[in-house]
Amino acid sequence: MELVTISDIRAAASLVAPVVVRTPLLRFDDRLSVKPESLQPVGAFKLRGAYHALARLTDEVRARGVVAFSSGNHAQAVAFAARAFGVPAVIVLPENAPAVKIAATRGWGATVELVPMADREARAYELAESLGATLIPPFDHRDVIAGQGTVGLEIVADRPEVDVVLVPVSGGGLVSGVATAVKALRPAARVIGVEPELAGDAAESLRAGELVRWQAVERERTSADGLRAEPSELTFAHMRAYVDDIVTVSEEEIAEAIRRLARDTRLVVEPSGAVAVAAYLQRTEEWPARTVAVVSGGNIDPDVFAKIMQ
């Protein structure tokens, strides 16, 4: 299986530069800096991979339109990218996706179809075939992984001596790309994935040395709706090659991280985006002085955010 390379990620950085925000590293405390991908135009890192994947299509292929399935943030990213290229997009979302993510996806001009979570992928493939469109998967694609890897490029450029990078894990596109970039540029750094305890399939898989599948109904339990997917063979191969460990965090730890990020860095962060900081807060004194946490998204329902902040 061919893994993404640092050359692929550098090439992706050139293609996404016109639309992707080069997010800064913000100081959280004396040990931790956060990379707020919540500040992207679509509110999440997903824009990097989605735009790169569309940019790599030929004009003829792109003109036939694109289809995607998503928990919500990839949906917005593909919708944004399709609008930028002037092509139609149809997005399949789970029925329990946050209303704010459904509305935003439609707001970028995409057609949205809602289905049960377990049916998202199959329905997207059906639509792509019937429409003659190209499917842009949320993580199981080398171009998507390379685009997400630009996060890692920027981290090492801004913090060349970084010791630990904490990265949210769901399907694994983000951690695959970030780990590939960080290990190529700063081999001594450790890359640690972070999952919710209620969707800890990647952590279990890494320990087992093979993919361990959790049922969708199990993964749906977590409030971190963007982390309910499961790794693919491609992303798991990157994890085994480059990720040092995957740890899990509880629902209350996620909520506390959201509160701390709001109060200490003035960032509005969704549960999925807060898990890396939650892992840091689990054992603050044990992390080295140069630790970076990727805050992957900020698309949280206002009512949910208000309840957490009480």
Side-chain angles (χ1 to χ4, degrees), residues 26-34 159 162-164 166 280 283-293:
L26 303 179
R27 183 179 181 275
F28 184 83
D29 63 21
D30 290 342
R31 287 183 172 84
L32 181 69
S33 296
V34 298
R159 190 63 51 84
V162 64
D163 292 317
V164 173
L166 298 164
Y280 172 81
R283 44 194 179 97
T284 304
E285 300 302 320
E286 297 180 25
W287 298 107
R290 294 181 293 267
T291 297
V292 173

Side-chain angles (χ1 to χ4, degrees), residues 47-288:
L47 180 58
R48 296 172 183 265
Y51 188 87
H52 182 234
L54 265 76
R56 293 266 294 165
L57 299 175
T58 66
D59 291 342
E60 180 182 355
V61 170
R62 198 162 49 226
R64 293 198 291 267
V66 294
V67 172
F69 62 93
S70 170
S71 297
N73 285 337
H74 180 64
Q76 294 173 71
V78 172
F80 179 101
R83 179 174 175 175
F85 284 107
V87 300
V90 180
I91 314 294
V92 181
L93 285 166
E95 295 167 334
N96 60 353
V100 65
K101 294 184 178 181
I102 297 171
T105 303
R106 289 180 171 140
W108 291 115
T111 299
V112 173
E113 183 170 324
L114 302 176
V115 301
M117 178 178 161
D119 298 338
R120 292 174 306 162
E121 185 171 352
R123 180 56 181 154
Y125 275 98
E126 288 175 2
L127 285 168
E129 183 174 357
S130 65
L131 297 171
T134 298
L135 188 128
I136 307 295
F139 50 85
D140 190 27
H141 194 289
R142 293 183 79 258
D143 290 341
V144 172
I145 292 171
Q148 319 304 26
T150 59
V151 172
L153 280 186
E154 294 174 11
I155 288 172
V156 178
D158 290 347
R159 190 63 51 84
E161 300 303 312
V162 64
D163 292 317
V164 173
V165 182
L166 298 164
V167 189
V169 177
S170 182
L174 177 61
V175 75
S176 294
V178 169
T180 299
V182 169
K183 291 295 187 177
L185 301 172
R186 171 71 169 153
R190 300 178 71 223
V191 178
I192 310 295
V194 187
E195 283 187 304
E197 289 176 355
L198 298 182
D201 52 329
E204 185 176 348
S205 296
L206 197 64
R207 289 193 300 271
E210 61 182 6
L211 283 170
V212 177
R213 298 303 189 187
W214 288 28
Q215 294 297 314
V217 68
E218 295 179 279
R219 291 179 274 116
E220 284 180 316
R221 296 173 300 166
T222 179
S223 63
D225 59 278
L227 303 183
R228 292 171 178 165
E230 54 187 355
S232 66
E233 295 285 352
L234 178 60
T235 56
F236 188 60
H238 285 81
M239 291 183 214
R240 293 194 69 184
Y242 301 122
V243 174
D244 295 281
D245 194 13
I246 299 178
V247 300
T248 61
V249 292
S250 71
E251 296 299 296
E252 180 48 43
E253 287 168 338
I254 294 170
E256 178 59 19
I258 291 172
R259 290 189 284 267
R260 286 287 304 275
L261 282 160
R263 292 165 181 158
D264 296 352
T265 64
R266 275 67 64 189
L267 292 173
V268 175
V269 178
E270 65 186 279
S272 306
V275 296
V277 172
Y280 172 81
L281 292 173
Q282 269 186 347
R283 44 194 179 97
T284 304
E285 300 302 320
E286 297 180 25
W287 298 107

